[in-house]
Amino acid sequence: MTTDQPAFSVQQLDFYYGTSKALSGISLDIKPQQVTALIGPSGCGKSTFLRCLNRMNDTISGTRVEGKILLKGEDIYAENMDVVTLRQRVGMVFQKPNPFPQSIYDNVAFGPRVMGMDVNLNEVVEKSLIAAALWDEVKDDLKSDAMGLSLGQQQRLCIARVIAIQPEVILMDESTSALDPIATLRVEELIADLKKDYTIVIVTHNMQQAARVSDYTGLFWLGELVEFESTNQMFTNPKEELSEAYITGRMG
């Protein structure tokens, strides 16, 4: 069930790498339990914006943020915001699958163990793998090396690893770009399933994918948010000329 309060409310966000301004005046609300897609050409700021949502950019020296990002009303850049807790609430799946060189079981159990979560690990591992649509394929091989899985399975394992820490939001940065079409379809089906329980924000170069899986779409261009609309509106009747030019392939 969705609520009126946005999962994220972004207000006049500017982001700098040193003196270089990468994002300018970004404002949007990300609705809970919906899939929001961020599209736009390479280098337009969409991945930078995604990494602002769980402060992954903090790991890069010389970066700075102006403006506000509220997670369910809490300012994530406030001094009292614990970044470890933030990243537990806002999990991330990267472009290339990055399983740890450990067993399938230990990959999924890693987060709860490190965070000292008071949970039944066997239950968490099973539930997370079921939620990531991987359980039936690996349930008899949980002690086997995660690196032996196919790329598509590795990516679903990484999604299970995020689910295991019980996040509120899942960020996906080009999470199917390294996968073949069949594995991509599995992840897209998974995204549709996961939004019943999670808010999902994806960055994708694949416009067809954005149209298929998302409820809302934002077009980034040269560090600015050109348009943010329901996906249906964006792909059938965009308000901005630049959006139409990009979506129809005339630009970008």
Side-chain angles (χ1 to χ4, degrees):
M1 191 177 77
T2 57
T3 61
D4 289 337
Q5 186 184 38
F8 276 110
S9 183
V10 181
Q11 302 166 6
Q12 290 299 315
L13 179 73
D14 294 342
F15 182 83
Y16 297 83
Y17 293 106
T19 56
S20 170
K21 193 174 191 181
L23 295 173
S24 184
I26 308 292
S27 294
L28 76 161
D29 284 349
I30 292 171
K31 293 187 184 297
Q33 287 169 269
Q34 302 279 290
V35 180
T36 297
L38 309 176
I39 61 172
S42 294
C44 66
K46 53 194 188 297
S47 289
T48 295
F49 173 75
L50 193 76
R51 291 196 300 266
C52 287
L53 298 178
N54 69 346
R55 291 181 55 175
M56 284 293 286
N57 290 324
D58 288 18
T59 60
I60 304 166
S61 66
T63 58
R64 130 180 107 81
V65 167
E66 294 173 2
K68 277 196 170 170
I69 301 180
L70 305 179
L71 173 61
K72 295 194 175 159
E74 289 179 76
D75 184 351
I76 70 167
Y77 283 93
E79 281 182 22
N80 63 350
M81 173 57 75
D82 179 52
V83 178
V84 174
T85 303
L86 173 66
R87 291 183 189 147
Q88 182 256 315
R89 294 175 66 189
V90 186
M92 190 155 196
V93 181
F94 295 93
Q95 183 169 3
K96 289 197 173 87
N98 59 342
F100 304 135
Q102 301 172 334
S103 71
I104 293 167
Y105 183 99
D106 286 339
N107 263 272
V108 184
F110 179 83
R113 278 179 179 147
V114 167
M115 298 172 73
M117 291 167 68
D118 183 16
V119 291
N120 179 321
L121 275 180
N122 292 343
E123 277 181 18
V124 168
V125 169
E126 181 174 343
K127 280 182 178 168
S128 302
L129 288 167
I130 288 170
L134 191 57
W135 175 251
D136 288 342
E137 294 162 54
V138 302
K139 63 185 177 189
D140 300 322
D141 300 303
L142 293 178
K143 290 193 165 56
S144 64
D145 186 351
M147 309 308 280
L149 295 171
S150 72
L151 270 182
Q153 288 174 321
Q154 286 182 16
Q155 194 63 300
R156 280 183 283 142
L157 178 66
C158 293
I159 293 169
R161 196 169 66 198
V162 167
I163 291 169
I165 57 170
Q166 300 169 8
E168 298 162 34
V169 181
I170 300 175
L171 309 177
M172 295 182 160
D173 192 2
E174 295 276 2
S175 59
T176 61
S177 64
L179 307 184
D180 64 56
I182 292 170
T184 295
L185 183 63
R186 293 296 300 272
V187 173
E188 287 184 6
E189 289 170 345
L190 179 54
I191 289 169
D193 212 38
L194 289 173
K195 78 170 183 181
K196 298 181 198 124
D197 299 303
Y198 306 96
T199 301
I200 299 175
V201 187
I202 67 168
V203 162
T204 181
H205 275 103
N206 183 329
M207 251 148 4
Q208 289 78 18
Q209 181 173 74
R212 281 194 299 266
V213 305
S214 71
D215 302 289
Y216 291 87
T217 298
L219 172 65
F220 279 73
W221 194 275
L222 299 177
E224 295 186 1
L225 182 64
V226 173
E227 186 167 354
F228 184 71
E229 289 290 347
S230 75
T231 297
N232 187 42
Q233 162 109 29
M234 180 71 96
F235 281 90
T236 57
N237 189 24
K239 290 178 180 164
E240 300 296 328
E241 215 171 291
L242 184 56
S243 305
E244 186 172 359
Y246 183 71
I247 285 163
T248 56
R250 285 187 287 121
M251 285 184 77

